[in-house]
């Protein structure tokens, strides 16, 4: 009986641990006055805004790389970010300004959430031209 209760508790923890996830990611890039450079940002739409510790974003010039951006944002913390970075949240939408990056024909990115129980949500991956 104790094993059944422990197994049920574990399954509930795993099920509830992943209730927060990323629904969509918009990667935005705006040309700057410098040729070959772009101003970058992410708009991350989440299912729920409770029990989240961090948002992890990666951006690379090829699939599987994070050579352009590899940044963890503490959830709802707007200070202590690198120069050119910012964090803004309205409801379940989060805007992450991620500074100046070099221009590439295609960008490969992914984002995930670190939950307060230490688990991570699945990656939300995308490709942008």
């Amino acid at each position: 009986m104790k094993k059944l209760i422990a197994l049920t508790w574990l399954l509930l923890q795993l099920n509830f641990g992943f209730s927060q996830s990323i629904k969509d990611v918009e990667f935005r890039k705006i040309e700057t006055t410098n040729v070959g450079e772009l101003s970058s940002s992410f708009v991350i739409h989440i299912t729920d805004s409770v029990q989240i510790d961090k948002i992890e974003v990666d951006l690379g010039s090829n699939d599987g790389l994070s050579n352009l951006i590899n940044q963890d944002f503490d959830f709802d913390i707007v200070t202590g970010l690198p120069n050119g970075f910012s964090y803004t949240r309205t409801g379940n939408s989060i805007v992450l300004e991620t500074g100046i990056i070099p221009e590439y024909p295609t960008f490969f990115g992914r984002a995930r959430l670190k939950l307060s129980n230490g688990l991570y949500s699945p990656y939300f991956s995308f490709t942008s031209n």
Side-chain angles (χ1 to χ4, degrees):
M1 182 66 172
K2 288 182 182 181
K3 288 182 181 180
L4 178 62
I5 292 171
L7 181 59
T8 303
W9 179 84
L10 177 63
L11 290 174
L12 287 173
Q13 291 299 314
L14 291 174
N15 186 35
F16 290 125
F18 286 106
S19 62
Q20 296 82 350
S21 63
I22 296 175
K23 292 192 312 188
D24 193 25
V25 174
E26 300 170 46
F27 174 62
R28 297 179 180 171
K29 50 197 181 299
I30 300 169
E31 290 184 11
T32 67
T33 56
N34 296 329
V35 176
E37 290 185 345
L38 301 170
S39 176
S40 65
S41 65
F42 294 79
V43 181
I44 298 179
H45 304 282
I46 56 178
T47 57
D48 196 352
S49 62
V50 297
Q51 298 179 344
I52 299 172
D53 281 349
K54 293 182 182 290
I55 302 169
E56 178 184 296
V57 293
D58 295 327
L59 187 70
S61 57
N62 284 306
D63 194 19
L65 294 181
S66 58
N67 59 317
L68 303 176
I69 299 169
N70 181 0
Q71 182 68 36
D72 291 349
F73 291 82
D74 290 326
F75 193 72
D76 282 347
I77 305 296
V78 298
T79 59
L81 298 170
N83 190 31
F85 283 46
S86 69
Y87 177 106
T88 308
R89 180 170 73 91
T90 303
N92 289 347
S93 295
I94 302 153
V95 178
L96 305 172
E97 297 289 339
T98 49
I100 303 298
I101 59 172
E103 188 171 2
Y104 283 92
T106 306
F107 295 94
F108 300 86
R110 63 186 189 169
R112 69 179 178 172
L113 307 174
K114 182 179 181 190
L115 308 177
S116 59
N117 62 5
L119 299 175
Y120 286 90
S121 72
Y123 276 109
F124 187 100
S125 298
F126 64 91
T127 303
S128 177
N129 297 352

